[in-house]
Amino acid sequence: MTRFSFNQATANRWPIPDLVAGCVEAGVTRVGLWREQVAEFGLEKTAALVRDAGLEVTSLCRGGFFQTPHWYEENSRAVAEAHRLGAPVLVLVSGGLPPGGRDIDAARRHVGEAIGSLVPVAQDAGVQLAIEPLHPMFASDRCVVSTLGQALDLAAPYPAEAVGVVVDTYHVWWDDTVWAQIERAGREGRIACFQAADWITPLPEGVLLGRGLPGEGCIELRRFREAVDAAGYTGPVEVEVFHADLWARPGAEILADTIAAYEEHVR
């Protein structure tokens, strides 16, 4: 359990005080947090609560969405929030095409340039920006970065300690180049975060909530964990699941089942 991190999204209806108490009771020492829930409870209150409970915040989700008008200000705030929470990593979901846009290459170039403008802010705060590729079905509206290779290319101009990548099994499992790209990410020292979730079909309407707990779908999750380990990654393993049926259950049950699934199918 030393590497296991419970991502808040897996039980997104669990209030932060209950989440923290549940993790402590279960012996979980690491959590990944989301900005929306942190803002609802209060940044300073959340920072104090996790610190007093002895929890390590492994990542903060999310920054990015660089197609929006005020992306620089919003991402600067996100970096500051990560720093205040003690999160070493800010996960970036790049955003989709601009309104009315069709030039996906230009959109990706803009993502790289936008990240470059944030590098000094992140370095000053001691926070690593982590580019997360999303499955291509999200390219139009949520993320024009679809492969780990694309994410690494965007990160390449910047220091690895400032810009890394997220390896999220749900989003990259389909890519036949992913194993070589994980090796590359390891050589370049850019694996900032590793997240595990399974792919279940049929996907629900809207497709966003199609993740399953480890073992419920078709992804070779342990192979991914072994691949990032072989690439030199020794950091946390976050389990991050979005599914309406899971969210409807009590938080403590979700956490217990997440731990069991991690132990059986990931670790």
Side-chain angles (χ1 to χ4, degrees):
M1 291 295 295
T2 56
R3 296 180 68 186
F4 173 78
S5 178
F6 186 66
N7 190 285
Q8 184 176 21
T10 306
N12 81 331
R13 298 175 188 170
W14 212 8
I16 284 180
D18 297 339
L19 167 72
V20 170
C23 285
V24 170
E25 184 176 353
V28 173
T29 61
R30 292 173 160 180
V31 292
L33 296 179
W34 278 68
R35 294 182 66 209
E36 293 84 356
Q37 285 90 338
V38 168
E40 182 179 351
F41 184 66
L43 176 62
E44 295 301 326
K45 288 170 61 178
T46 302
L49 188 64
V50 295
R51 181 186 64 245
D52 293 346
L55 296 182
E56 174 188 347
V57 181
T58 54
S59 72
L60 180 65
C61 288
R62 62 197 169 196
F65 289 92
F66 297 113
Q67 85 279 22
T68 57
H70 305 293
W71 61 263
Y72 182 83
E73 294 81 1
E74 187 62 29
N75 280 276
S76 296
R77 281 193 292 270
V79 169
E81 292 165 13
H83 173 75
R84 184 67 189 90
L85 292 165
V89 170
L90 175 66
V91 174
L92 301 179
V93 175
S94 69
L97 294 168
R102 289 183 172 85
D103 191 340
I104 195 168
D105 296 325
R108 288 197 191 107
R109 286 194 298 271
H110 171 65
V111 170
E113 293 163 359
I115 289 170
S117 71
L118 292 168
V119 164
V121 178
Q123 288 178 315
D124 288 346
V127 173
Q128 188 180 25
L129 305 171
I131 306 169
E132 180 175 14
L134 266 58
H135 191 281
M137 65 183 172
F138 297 112
S140 66
D141 60 342
R142 302 187 74 84
C143 190
V144 294
V145 182
S146 301
T147 68
L148 190 57
Q150 289 170 355
L152 287 167
D153 289 345
L154 291 171
Y158 312 112
E161 64 272 15
V163 184
V165 297
V166 180
V167 179
D168 184 324
T169 60
Y170 179 79
H171 291 299
V172 300
W173 72 274
W174 57 274
D175 183 0
D176 64 348
T177 72
V178 71
W179 311 111
Q181 296 300 333
I182 288 173
E183 291 179 8
R184 173 189 169 190
R187 288 195 308 271
E188 297 177 4
R190 294 194 186 271
I191 304 178
C193 184
F194 174 55
Q195 296 179 330
D198 223 331
W199 179 283
I200 55 176
T201 48
L203 293 174
E205 184 179 358
V207 305
L208 185 64
L209 307 186
R211 296 176 178 230
L213 288 174
E216 291 183 343
C218 61
I219 302 177
E220 295 180 290
L221 293 168
R222 185 169 290 108
R223 183 182 179 188
F224 270 96
R225 199 267 305 152
E226 291 171 347
V228 297
D229 287 359
Y233 179 74
T234 59
V237 180
E238 291 189 5
V239 178
E240 182 191 58
V241 177
F242 306 161
H243 200 284
D245 291 345
L246 187 67
W247 289 347
R249 297 170 52 195
E253 287 185 14
I254 298 172
L255 177 58
D257 284 354
T258 302
I259 293 170
Y262 164 81
E263 290 281 343
E264 183 175 356
H265 299 285
V266 183
R267 194 183 76 155

